């Protein structure tokens, strides 16, 4: 049946129905077959090759893709997104001959893209431009101490705050709580965001820029049980001692210590950035908006 794709033939209704259920559909231009697709809100084409028969040859796929692109261009589609499972990775080179390039790859599939609109420049967005790192600033307010660590796998021994990269779909506060527990054994509660840093050309970020969010956490336990595979040292350290150990403390850490000292002396309502859950315009979804709290004396 696949060899029949090499010609523009009149096919039986039953054959077209079978193909349409899989990954093809008859073109409106003629009785050619084209890849089954969906249209996004930007008039782009979304193609998923997951249903493509594994036995399809490069020649058959090339013919199918040629006919599909001709149809999409005639319909003035803006661009094509094509998701290719690893099991059909041989088809990527065929798509490459038609101008497709990689957009990203994740898990067991690659996403290719092709810009079709010759009237304007390619405006498809890049894949993720940043990675998100989160650290927990755990404060014992009664004794003015912070939870600090030294990483085992870094060449330098600077004191820092426990943290790591956020997982996909994980809230910032949840990342901070999880990372602190995994690295130090301390249970905490998320209170607020103190600050965030943006850095480009970050080593080890796979060519992405880096956003690093520092969260203020309240300790719910105090007995340290550090992760022996990641942490060289871990302790509760006096604020003044950490501030004075300039040679073993990063500039970012010093600035954050100053913020916390100010918060302890003047109230954290002067520096906290708090999260508020809001309803999204997309039905059934919510998000968190982070901002400085509105004054209690301010009226709507």
């Amino acid at each position: 049946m696949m060899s029949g794709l090499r010609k523009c033939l009149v096919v039986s209704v039953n054959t077209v129905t079978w193909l349409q259920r899989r990954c093809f559909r008859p073109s409106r231009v003629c009785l050619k077959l084209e890849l089954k697709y969906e249209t996004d809100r930007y008039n782009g084409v979304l193609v998923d090759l997951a249903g493509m028969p594994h036995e399809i040859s490069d020649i058959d796929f090339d013919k199918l893709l040629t006919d599909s692109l001709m149809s999409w261009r005639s319909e003035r589609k803006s661009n094509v997104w094509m998701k290719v499972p690893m099991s059909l990775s041989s088809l990527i080179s065929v798509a490459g001959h038609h101008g497709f390039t990689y957009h990203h790859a994740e898990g067991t599939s690659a996403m290719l893209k092709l810009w079709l609109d010759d009237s304007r420049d390619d405006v498809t967005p890049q894949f993720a431009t940043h990675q998100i790192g989160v650290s927990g600033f755990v404060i014992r307010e009664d004794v003015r101490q912070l939870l600090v660590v030294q990483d085992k796998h870094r060449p330098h021994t600077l004191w820092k705050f426990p943290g790591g990269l956020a997982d996909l779909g994980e809230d910032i506060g949840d990342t901070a709580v999880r990372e602190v527990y995994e690295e130090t054994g301390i249970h905490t509660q998320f209170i607020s965001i103190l600050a965030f840093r943006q850095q480009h050309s970050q080593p080890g970020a796979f060519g992405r820029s880096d956003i690093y969010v520092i969260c203020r956490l309240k300790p719910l336990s105090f007995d340290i049980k550090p992760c022996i595979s990641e942490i060289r040292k871990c302790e509760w350290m006096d604020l003044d001692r950490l501030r004075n150990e300039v040679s073993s403390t990063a500039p970012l850490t010093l600035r954050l210590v100053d913020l916390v000292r100010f918060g302890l002396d003047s109230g954290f309502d002067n520096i906290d950035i708090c999260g508020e859950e809001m309803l999204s315009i997309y039905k059934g979804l919510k998000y968190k908006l982070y901002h400085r709290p509105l004054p209690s004396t301010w009226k709507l």
Side-chain angles (χ1 to χ4, degrees):
M1 182 177 296
M2 296 308 303
S3 61
L5 294 173
R6 298 175 188 172
K7 303 176 182 179
C8 183
L9 298 176
V10 177
V11 292
S12 71
V13 175
N14 289 338
T15 301
V16 171
T17 302
W18 181 85
L19 290 170
Q20 191 172 4
R21 286 174 179 171
R22 295 296 298 273
C23 51
F24 319 118
R25 66 181 179 184
S27 169
R28 285 177 286 179
V29 177
C30 70
L31 289 177
K32 294 179 180 180
L33 294 175
E34 65 181 48
L35 289 164
K36 188 174 181 180
Y37 67 92
E38 296 179 2
T39 302
D40 64 21
R41 58 177 175 164
Y42 302 105
N43 196 36
V45 171
L46 306 173
V47 177
D48 189 347
L49 299 186
M52 181 74 69
H54 289 187
E55 64 272 16
I56 188 170
S57 70
D58 290 356
I59 295 175
D60 290 335
F61 181 69
D62 181 72
K63 172 61 175 150
L64 181 61
L65 185 55
T66 299
D67 292 345
S68 298
L69 289 172
M70 183 182 302
S71 175
W72 296 333
R73 285 191 169 99
S74 71
E75 295 173 5
R76 299 187 179 278
K77 299 298 184 184
S78 61
N79 67 297
V80 183
W81 297 98
M82 183 182 294
K83 187 175 182 180
V84 186
M86 188 179 294
S87 59
L88 292 171
S89 57
S90 63
L91 302 182
I92 292 175
S93 61
V94 178
H97 289 307
H98 288 272
F100 281 85
T101 58
Y102 285 107
H103 185 263
H104 66 274
E106 187 175 35
T108 59
S109 64
M111 183 68 79
L112 311 183
K113 68 152 188 141
L114 175 65
W115 184 251
L116 297 179
D117 188 351
D118 295 330
S119 67
R120 56 182 179 140
D121 292 336
D122 185 350
V123 295
T124 54
Q126 285 185 313
F127 192 47
T129 59
H130 290 69
Q131 67 175 13
I132 304 295
V134 184
S135 71
F137 212 88
V138 188
I139 309 168
R140 295 182 66 173
E141 296 186 28
D142 54 341
V143 292
R144 297 175 71 92
Q145 290 182 336
L146 295 173
L147 183 65
V148 292
V149 299
Q150 289 183 357
D151 286 338
K152 179 175 287 188
H153 302 295
R154 295 200 179 192
H156 45 258
T157 57
L158 298 178
W159 288 109
K160 60 182 285 289
F161 306 105
L165 296 178
D167 290 334
L168 184 65
E170 184 177 43
D171 280 358
I172 289 171
D174 294 339
T175 301
V177 169
R178 174 180 58 78
E179 285 287 345
V180 167
Y181 178 73
E182 289 176 358
E183 293 189 0
T184 71
I186 299 295
H187 293 279
T188 58
Q189 176 186 346
F190 171 76
I191 302 298
S192 68
I193 291 175
L194 290 176
F196 72 91
R197 177 209 68 199
Q198 182 182 37
Q199 179 171 310
H200 308 292
S201 302
Q202 169 88 349
F206 305 101
R208 305 295 90 181
S209 298
D210 178 79
I211 291 180
Y212 178 63
V213 184
I214 301 94
C215 299
R216 181 163 77 93
L217 304 181
K218 175 183 178 180
L220 302 178
S221 64
F222 304 97
D223 294 332
I224 295 173
K225 299 175 183 178
C227 175
I228 59 175
S229 63
E230 295 186 31
I231 303 302
R232 177 185 287 113
K233 292 182 181 179
C234 179
E235 61 181 84
W236 292 103
M237 185 176 290
D238 291 339
L239 277 170
D240 293 338
R241 177 188 161 195
L242 183 60
R243 185 65 182 81
N244 293 330
E245 291 194 6
V246 178
S247 61
S248 60
T249 307
L252 174 65
T253 303
L254 298 179
R255 174 61 68 211
L256 291 170
V257 169
D258 289 342
L259 281 173
V260 168
R261 291 169 69 189
F262 178 74
L264 288 170
D265 293 341
S266 303
F268 281 104
D269 55 333
N270 291 304
I271 58 174
D272 276 344
I273 302 171
C274 298
E276 178 184 5
E277 190 169 74
M278 309 281 289
L279 290 175
S280 172
I281 60 172
Y282 300 104
K283 186 176 180 180
L285 297 180
K286 297 180 180 180
Y287 62 88
K288 287 185 178 175
L289 178 69
Y290 290 91
H291 58 86
R292 290 289 305 279
L294 295 171
S296 58
T297 56
W298 187 78
K299 301 293 185 181
L300 290 172

